[in-house]
Amino acid sequence: QTLDANGVSLDDKVLAIERLLLTPGTIDFPVTPCDFNLNSAPNNIAGDQTAAQWVRTVFHDFITADTKAGTGGLDASIGFEADRDENLGITFKGTSFINETIIGFNLFAEVYISTADFIALGLAASLNACDSGTPLVKLRVGRIDATGPGPTGVPKPQDSLTSATDAFAKAGFNKTEMIQAVACGHSIGSVHKIDFPEIVGNDATTDVSPPGTGADTFDSTPLKFDNTQVQEYLTGTGKRGGPLVTTQNVTMQSDLRIFKSDNNVTVKAMSSAASFRNTCLTTFEKMLNTVPAGTTLSNPIGPRPWITKETHLDLSPSGVVQFSGNISTQSKAAGAAPATASYVYLTKSGSTAKTGKSQAGRLQNTNVNGVVSQPFGKITDYSFNDTIPAGATSIKIQNSYTENINMNLFIVPSQSFINQPLNPDGSAGIASYLVRTALLTSLATSGSSLTGTFYFPSPQPNSAAPKWTRTTFTLTKEKTLGSYTIFKGQVTEPGVHATGTGLHHIDVQFGSVRSAKVIASFFTGGSFFGKCSDFTKC
Ligand code: HEM
């Protein structure tokens, strides 16, 4: 497969997202339950709902696409556009809902997942949290982040029907699809008085104390992704379609103008629970797939019945190669989990080099923020740890999932170290890494050195999204061990990382041979490598 500038293939990107989806308490955490509020807005701001913000962010990013020109779409350009009037939304702590959204994604940032892919994933996770019966929206990955702002053009509630229709048409959505998109989006969340005082309050459906800070919901079930808004609009019951229908400020009645623009034919066709859900899954999928020309997206993500959650090679002090990690399965796709997972190590020609069995499976705790989050049923993880024979090039798990193994060149975690001094305020300072790598001696030419790359989420001006930067370093020969030559090098993080941190990775290259990437750090503080405060002694 083609690799991007960070040496990452589409398969790697798919796997990274499957790993998050199958690890309860990661990407589902900020949106579970559906009313969860990751950033705890102060009490005087009502209706701050992370799931609704994540869904809305998709609209505000994709809608400025020009599909004929092949520009824009879901490309995280929204990160540079947070302060625009057309992107008005809850703002507190001096930051907009868009920055809050991106900083939430940054908690899980890693070089495999672009911010644009996170925006798409955020919608999938939100729908799952707000309707546990929804199948995963068809989620493809491979979006590429913009490096600056895109054009303006997000429709505002005061814009005319023609202007909104034109914006959607430019982004590839006809009038019917526009109506569907609005009805689907306005199933959860609310309009906030703090942003839209000219809308909320003048039909006085909701207002909280202190006055002027209320949130007026689109329907009676703002915490459920469902057909209630459409039904209440059509029957004139409950919230009657919400504030963008009922506000006495006629200019601001954008949902009303849009819904009735085809005599309600489209919304009527979405009024049953099943037709609403099916229509919305298709509409959201189209939004997510609106990407700049030249972007290659993966096939839709399963997630697959069996994957690995983490794997790594290592070398024992006596030079024996070890391979270990975690296997994961989910009951929705794979059914009942076996007591142990079986696998084979294969050679390049496909013959079996060794068979193996994992440790006993461990049922994962799917309790997230006090509620059970089980979009994929029960998740069982199995750890494994083997010595593996020379010549193994892949592992095949449960006859279903295959992962490549590069025994020619790999980072040796048990002989690599991190030194992370503390800042005067006690927070983690800039980390340095001492990296040892094993290269098969039969491949090492005399005097050869290796190039290491450290992948780092740098802050970038005017966007909360990280810019992945690469710092290279040289590893030189240290010693031989078994059939391997050990190379050693050091790298220091190039500065303070983007807000939210995430995972940092390191890999090494020898000519065209590239090692697997190894996780160098895990959030702030903890580490995959051993700790060592004086590299001259480790
Ligand atoms: C003409 C098109 C649209 C207009 C004029 C519009 C307008 C608005 C306005 C004024 C708000 C209130 C924001 C706030 O007070 O924080 C809002 C909220 C929202 N919109 Fe739209 N919208 C449109 C289309 C869409 C679409 C296509 C989606 C689909 C993703 C969507 C999803 C949402 C969501 C989920 C919220 C709730 C946000 C929250 O509770 O924080 N909107 N919209």
Side-chain angles (χ1 to χ4, degrees):
Q1 274 205 343
T2 324
L3 301 184
D4 71 10
N6 291 319
V8 174
S9 70
L10 264 188
D11 282 352
D12 296 333
K13 295 176 189 189
V14 168
L15 182 61
I17 289 198
E18 288 179 290
R19 285 173 170 174
L20 283 183
L21 287 170
L22 294 186
T23 308
T26 57
I27 194 66
D28 56 349
F29 166 79
V31 290
T32 303
C34 182
D35 66 345
F36 192 72
N37 166 9
L38 180 64
N39 297 293
S40 30
N43 290 339
N44 65 351
I45 295 181
D48 188 20
Q49 185 186 350
T50 299
Q53 293 175 1
W54 284 15
V55 171
R56 187 172 180 231
T57 299
V58 167
F59 168 54
H60 285 242
D61 196 21
F62 106 90
I63 192 63
T64 51
D66 181 342
T67 44
K68 281 218 178 86
T71 56
L74 212 69
D75 61 359
S77 60
I78 192 72
F80 299 93
E81 302 157 3
D83 294 334
R84 289 181 181 171
D85 274 359
E86 62 188 32
N87 294 327
L88 195 59
I90 287 185
T91 301
F92 65 98
K93 297 183 202 158
T95 186
S96 81
F97 85 97
I98 288 167
N99 290 342
E100 278 185 57
T101 294
I102 293 176
I103 290 168
F105 296 146
N106 288 359
L107 293 173
F108 314 105
E110 50 180 321
V111 67
Y112 300 109
I113 309 179
S114 65
T115 299
D117 278 344
F118 266 119
I119 294 175
L121 174 62
L123 178 130
S126 300
L127 295 188
N128 275 149
C130 298
D131 176 7
S132 56
T134 316
L136 190 69
V137 61
K138 277 197 185 135
L139 178 66
R140 298 166 195 270
V141 304
R143 292 170 196 78
I144 296 160
D145 289 346
T147 52
T152 56
V154 181
K156 298 192 282 289
Q158 62 269 37
D159 290 349
S160 68
L161 178 64
T162 314
S163 152
T165 313
D166 288 351
F168 274 91
K170 200 170 179 190
F173 279 55
N174 64 27
K175 194 197 256 188
T176 305
E177 291 168 323
M178 169 179 74
I179 299 168
Q180 291 167 337
V182 174
C184 294
H186 291 172
S187 167
I188 59 171
S190 43
V191 181
H192 303 89
K193 186 155 192 161
I194 200 157
D195 309 311
F196 296 98
E198 65 281 55
I199 299 175
V200 179
N202 66 11
D203 62 349
T205 31
T206 316
D207 206 350
V208 294
S209 180
T213 59
D216 202 354
T217 60
F218 289 113
D219 66 15
S220 306
T221 59
L223 308 181
K224 195 138 178 35
F225 170 65
D226 64 4
N227 58 340
T228 305
Q229 191 226 16
V230 167
Q231 288 209 331
E232 291 183 345
Y233 165 74
L234 289 171
T235 56
T237 55
K239 300 289 300 180
R240 292 180 285 132
L244 298 180
V245 171
T246 60
T247 175
Q248 287 166 27
N249 186 337
V250 175
T251 315
M252 295 292 199
Q253 293 173 341
S254 53
D255 279 11
L256 178 62
R257 277 193 295 277
I258 288 172
F259 291 167
K260 70 170 195 196
S261 66
D262 68 351
N263 294 320
N264 297 322
V265 170
T266 301
V267 275
K268 277 186 187 152
M270 298 170 75
S271 63
S272 79
S275 64
F276 179 85
R277 186 186 272 171
N278 292 338
T279 305
C280 293
L281 287 176
T282 307
T283 305
F284 283 135
E285 186 191 349
K286 183 163 177 177
M287 291 186 207
L288 303 188
N289 292 350
T290 305
V291 290
T295 310
T296 306
L297 295 180
S298 69
N299 289 326
I301 284 181
R304 286 167 283 188
W306 290 89
I307 57 166
T308 59
K309 277 205 177 136
E310 189 277 324
T311 56
H312 61 275
L313 286 158
D314 209 339
L315 201 59
S316 77
S318 55
V320 176
V321 185
Q322 288 159 329
F323 188 65
S324 49
N326 259 299
I327 296 167
S328 193
T329 191
Q330 39 137 340
S331 64
K332 257 199 185 163
T340 57
S342 311
Y343 48 84
V344 288
Y345 290 101
L346 299 171
T347 62
K348 201 174 175 187
S349 66
S351 58
T352 299
K354 183 176 175 173
T355 58
K357 258 190 192 317
S358 71
Q359 311 292 313
R362 286 163 289 116
L363 196 60
Q364 298 303 288
N365 181 357
T366 49
N367 208 300
V368 177
N369 298 329
V371 296
V372 174
S373 165
Q374 276 194 336
F376 310 108
K378 293 189 164 68
I379 293 170
T380 308
D381 284 4
Y382 307 80
S383 56
F384 68 95
N385 187 357
D386 296 305
T387 58
I388 59 171
T393 55
S394 65
I395 181 170
K396 188 166 191 183
I397 293 162
Q398 287 284 133
N399 216 12
S400 128
Y401 165 86
T402 305
E403 187 165 296
N404 291 335
I405 303 170
N406 180 3
M407 284 177 69
N408 293 338
L409 175 63
F410 56 92
I411 290 175
V412 184
S414 60
Q415 294 177 45
S416 298
F417 300 92
I418 178 174
N419 176 16
Q420 187 154 37
L422 293 181
N423 291 322
D425 67 359
S427 60
I430 295 199
S432 298
Y433 300 85
L434 181 145
V435 181
R436 284 199 173 85
T437 302
L439 174 68
L440 214 50
T441 302
S442 55
L443 299 175
T445 45
S446 66
S448 50
S449 62
L450 310 182
T451 303
T453 307
F454 183 73
Y455 300 86
F456 185 75
S458 293
Q460 55 182 339
N462 308 320
S463 172
K467 182 176 171 53
W468 284 93
T469 49
R470 300 184 291 275
T471 297
T472 55
F473 59 103
T474 302
L475 298 95
T476 51
K477 239 177 229 180
E478 185 188 32
K479 57 186 175 192
T480 56
L481 191 55
S483 12
Y484 287 90
T485 303
I486 305 298
F487 289 74
K488 183 173 118 177
Q490 275 183 45
V491 61
T492 297
E493 290 179 355
V496 176
H497 47 61
T499 313
T501 70
L503 299 179
H504 310 170
H505 285 82
I506 298 180
D507 65 16
V508 289
Q509 264 183 291
F510 174 60
S512 60
V513 185
R514 191 195 285 260
S515 78
K517 287 181 175 43
V518 162
I519 299 168
S521 66
F522 191 73
F523 299 113
T524 45
S527 72
F528 187 78
F529 293 172
K531 280 194 197 291
C532 180
S533 56
D534 179 356
F535 283 165
T536 60
K537 299 191 179 120
C538 42

